[in-house]
Amino acid sequence: MADNDIFSGDIDPEIASLLGLDESSTLEAPDYKNLFNEGGLNETEQAEESHDDISRETFFLPEKDSQETNPLFSNANYYKSILNGAGDLAQEIHENMSQFLKAVDTQDKIKFRTRLISQYWELYGIISSKVRKLQIEPKRMLLRYGLLLPNIISADQRVMLGSIIQENDTGEPIYYVDEWLEKVASGMVSPLATDDLKPTKRSGDQKIKMQLDKSKGSREAHLSTLMNLQNKRRSLEEQLKSRVNDLSRHTKNSIFTQLESLYAVSQSQALTEAMNTIRELSSLHKDMTLHYNQLNSADQDYRKLEKKARESGTISDIDPSELQKEAGSIRQMAKLCVGRQGNHFPILMSQFFKPRIQAVATRENVIRILFDIESLDNGLFRRTFRQKTNRITPHIILIPCYGDYGICWEPFERYNRATSRGRIAIPLFPKDLKTAVLFAIADLRWQVAKEKAQHYWMEEGLTGHYYQYFSDRKLRGDVRLKFIEDYILWITKEGEGVQKLDKEVRGIFWRDMPFPQALKDNLRKRGFVYNELYKKDVNRAASDGY
């Protein structure tokens, strides 16, 4: 078949019939005549800097969950824009897509589907390698949502996708794939496959790279500590202002009206509290001075090592072709999210997801679910280093796939356990969004506890206690997956007073992963088992054994 027949201006009538399109369809057939014109569309570089705040104590709920609908997904040239510049691969994808949509026989359908999966991920890698130069929005949306051909999703679904908020105004480290690839390309985050990703220059001295990573971790630890001290200082200063304001309010003496009265009892107390606050601020100033000196020293060491590493070729800007390997890691994440028996077809199609924005793992929806989970599991993102506890949320990557499970890729970076963020993946189009997020969070909980206990993970801490229960009960299967199932019940059922867990598991979670005290106080009134656990808390506290 000739090229101008394959990519003619009109969609094949049989395909149009399959898609439910007619002459009145709001989505016009694109013009394919110049589909493979290499010079037809320009791409200019754009890079956006952002800085994550690791001093936040909680999630801030988004003010809105959607935006005015973006008409991009009804653009007649959307499909053409994506395939433009892909050469022979574009023609192969178009031919297979046409055959796949027209196929009636099941075996033919499977054959074309298998080809499309391979070709899609090859295209995905090519576009990923150019992510820092992407001005063409359809290509960015392919990376973000997996939408190749708008015609194969419904009008309602196109409207819904267009209403998803594009920019990250939340300040949280939650990324769509195109955003994540940009951060990797700019060197702002380490790639998912750190060992495999190569710089543009020779690999250099691995020892220098390890020293650099450790130095970076030390610098970030001091920075995080200073952020927490800074927040504490700001709080104390506000208290001091309030107390000084109280002290400055005077009434007239009832007898000598030209004089002001002495401090009232409450003002005398405020004066004492103000002096205590000043002493705290003085002590805090000494701590901050110490940490500033250490931060300056760590920063100088880091810059020296960074310069040495660049001169030796140990580090360098990421070669665009190497970003294709990062796209390969995204594919692996998608496989893990989908699971063995799931739907591994990566292209967005109408029958595989709901046209409800509440069912999609948008950034805003994920934040709301995480807020609810953390309100029941206060220690979820807490990590203690040098007697300082920081709240460190992981990098969260929203993967365009139909997976049912979120996954923890890694609990934190290899050379910076103190302040580095872990990485978790959440499928964009799951069957149940809350369960998918909970699965990822439970996986993170398990892996962090396991890494913390290191080679004693079967004996100590959360993982040790749970593993002993798992072994004593002679349970079969993967202990991690059993923990994840129980964690989901802990948050969704036990947090509401509905008893679903084994007694032993409830006891482990109650002590090692406790609910907030207010919820414990409420639960003790709702059942004998919770009241007994509450009494054990009181006894342990009284004997200093908690």
Side-chain angles (χ1 to χ4, degrees):
M1 185 179 293
D3 287 353
N4 57 355
D5 291 331
I6 298 174
F7 303 108
S8 60
D10 299 323
I11 292 180
D12 187 289
E14 294 183 42
I15 297 179
S17 176
L18 286 169
L19 299 176
L21 298 175
D22 53 32
E23 293 179 359
S24 63
S25 174
T26 59
L27 186 69
E28 298 177 4
D31 178 9
Y32 295 123
K33 291 180 180 178
N34 299 314
L35 183 59
F36 302 113
N37 178 9
E38 299 290 337
L41 296 168
N42 295 321
E43 296 179 346
T44 60
E45 183 173 357
Q46 63 175 19
E48 184 174 310
E49 294 282 334
S50 65
H51 303 281
D52 299 328
D53 183 0
I54 60 174
S55 65
R56 288 188 174 188
E57 289 300 309
T58 187
F59 289 103
F60 297 113
L61 294 178
E63 295 181 359
K64 58 181 183 178
D65 295 320
S66 60
Q67 65 176 21
E68 185 177 346
T69 299
N70 185 341
L72 173 67
F73 302 109
S74 295
N75 186 325
N77 290 318
Y78 180 97
Y79 178 57
K80 165 188 169 181
S81 299
I82 291 176
L83 295 185
N84 184 75
D88 292 341
L89 177 62
Q91 182 172 336
E92 292 169 7
I93 289 175
H94 184 77
E95 289 176 352
N96 269 297
M97 177 64 80
S98 301
Q99 295 295 330
F100 173 73
L101 293 172
K102 289 192 291 185
V104 177
D105 182 75
T106 303
Q107 293 302 315
D108 287 342
K109 201 87 170 174
I110 292 173
K111 178 178 67 175
F112 295 122
R113 178 182 184 274
T114 302
R115 289 178 185 173
L116 269 176
I117 291 174
S118 177
Q119 292 164 349
Y120 170 88
W121 283 113
E122 185 179 350
L123 177 67
Y124 202 91
I126 292 171
I127 295 175
S128 296
S129 69
K130 303 174 183 177
V131 69
R132 297 199 73 187
K133 298 181 180 180
L134 276 185
Q135 188 181 26
I136 302 171
E137 281 303 298
K139 291 188 177 184
R140 186 174 296 279
M141 294 302 102
L142 177 76
L143 297 179
R144 184 171 293 203
Y145 302 127
L147 182 60
L148 176 62
L149 180 62
N151 294 4
I152 58 177
I153 65 174
S154 70
D156 288 342
Q157 289 169 328
R158 291 194 293 273
V159 170
M160 184 272 289
L161 286 180
S163 68
I164 296 175
I165 297 173
Q166 298 294 305
E167 302 301 325
N168 185 2
D169 297 324
T170 67
E172 298 294 347
I174 303 177
Y175 312 104
Y176 296 104
V177 170
D178 60 300
E179 297 170 334
W180 174 258
L181 290 169
E182 280 191 335
K183 291 184 78 70
V184 171
S186 63
M188 296 175 68
V189 295
S190 299
L192 297 169
T194 306
D195 295 336
D196 296 332
L197 200 62
K198 298 176 182 177
T200 53
K201 300 180 182 178
R202 58 190 176 85
S203 59
D205 187 357
Q206 185 63 23
K207 184 178 179 180
I208 298 177
K209 181 67 168 64
M210 291 174 64
Q211 291 174 341
L212 184 66
D213 289 339
K214 290 179 180 179
S215 177
K216 181 181 178 182
S218 176
R219 186 180 68 164
E220 290 180 352
H222 289 303
L223 185 62
S224 175
T225 299
L226 278 166
M227 291 290 289
N228 288 329
L229 291 174
Q230 179 178 283
N231 289 339
K232 186 177 180 181
R233 183 178 68 177
R234 191 176 295 124
S235 176
L236 289 172
E237 288 169 346
E238 290 299 320
Q239 293 176 26
L240 185 60
K241 286 180 185 177
S242 175
R243 284 160 183 158
V244 170
N245 286 335
D246 289 342
L247 290 172
S248 63
R249 296 190 182 97
H250 303 289
T251 59
K252 295 293 183 181
N253 187 286
S254 59
I255 299 175
F256 305 101
T257 55
Q258 69 271 36
L259 298 176
E260 294 177 342
S261 296
L262 298 172
Y263 286 138
V265 174
S266 61
Q267 288 177 307
S268 295
Q269 292 174 345
L271 182 60
T272 302
E273 291 169 353
M275 289 189 289
N276 290 335
T277 301
I278 290 172
R279 279 191 287 269
E280 282 190 75
L281 284 169
S282 178
S283 176
L284 198 63
H285 174 70
K286 293 178 182 177
D287 288 345
M288 291 184 71
T289 300
L290 175 65
H291 281 287
Y292 262 116
N293 290 336
Q294 293 174 337
L295 175 61
N296 287 330
S297 177
D299 185 61
Q300 289 175 13
D301 290 344
Y302 176 75
R303 291 181 186 280
K304 288 177 183 176
L305 284 168
E306 184 180 39
K307 182 180 179 182
K308 184 178 179 181
R310 287 194 179 278
E311 289 174 350
S312 67
T314 302
I315 63 169
S316 183
D317 294 334
I318 300 296
D319 188 299
S321 65
E322 295 295 334
L323 286 171
Q324 293 191 44
K325 293 184 179 179
E326 190 72 358
S329 296
I330 296 296
R331 183 179 185 181
Q332 291 303 313
M333 278 185 162
K335 285 182 178 180
L336 292 171
C337 288
V338 171
R340 292 182 180 179
Q341 304 300 320
N343 179 8
H344 289 273
F345 192 63
I347 300 172
L348 201 59
M349 295 188 71
S350 60
Q351 61 266 45
F352 299 139
F353 73 106
K354 303 171 185 175
R356 294 174 51 248
I357 196 169
Q358 295 83 1
V360 179
T362 65
R363 193 171 3 238
E364 294 70 29
N365 288 342
V366 170
I367 287 175
R368 292 187 182 281
I369 294 173
L370 290 174
F371 179 87
D372 291 341
I373 296 172
E374 192 178 17
S375 69
L376 297 178
D377 185 1
N378 293 154
L380 176 58
F381 302 122
R382 303 282 168 178
R383 206 181 309 165
T384 301
F385 178 70
R386 293 182 179 174
Q387 299 181 333
K388 297 289 184 181
T389 299
N390 299 317
R391 176 182 176 273
I392 305 173
T393 54
H395 291 300
I396 301 171
I397 309 173
L398 307 175
I399 306 296
C401 66
Y402 308 113
D404 294 333
Y405 320 104
I407 59 118
C408 174
W409 184 262
E410 63 178 356
F412 33 67
E413 293 180 16
R414 183 184 307 172
Y415 300 114
N416 181 12
R417 294 168 177 253
T419 60
S420 65
R421 300 183 188 274
R423 293 107 184 280
I424 67 176
I426 295 173
L428 260 175
F429 307 106
K431 288 181 181 177
D432 182 80
L433 177 56
K434 185 173 182 178
T435 299
V437 175
L438 273 167
F439 209 96
I441 292 303
D443 196 8
L444 176 71
R445 250 301 192 181
W446 176 265
Q447 291 198 43
V448 168
K450 186 176 179 180
E451 289 295 328
K452 182 179 178 182
Q454 297 185 352
H455 50 280
Y456 295 109
W457 75 269
M458 291 185 288
E459 303 167 20
E460 296 180 355
L462 175 62
T463 55
H465 297 153
Y466 192 86
Y467 182 81
Q468 289 166 21
Y469 150 78
F470 189 85
S471 300
D472 293 344
R473 285 296 189 95
K474 294 181 171 57
L475 299 176
R476 295 183 178 181
D478 189 330
V479 62
R480 180 183 65 90
L481 293 179
K482 183 67 171 66
F483 171 86
I484 290 173
E485 292 173 3
D486 285 343
Y487 182 90
I488 293 173
L489 291 175
W490 177 246
I491 296 297
T492 59
K493 299 299 181 182
E494 299 279 345
E496 297 179 353
V498 180
Q499 299 167 27
K500 290 291 184 180
L501 294 173
D502 285 350
K503 178 181 178 181
E504 292 88 343
V505 175
R506 186 180 298 110
I508 293 168
F509 287 1
W510 184 275
R511 182 171 182 179
D512 293 339
M513 215 163 46
F515 288 133
Q517 190 59 44
L519 180 55
K520 284 186 172 184
D521 293 341
N522 183 25
L523 288 175
R524 68 172 298 200
K525 304 171 186 176
R526 299 181 61 179
F528 172 78
V529 294
Y530 297 120
N531 191 41
E532 287 299 302
L533 290 168
Y534 192 94
K535 288 179 180 178
K536 289 181 180 180
D537 278 354
V538 174
N539 293 337
R540 277 193 292 265
S543 63
D544 295 326
Y546 194 78

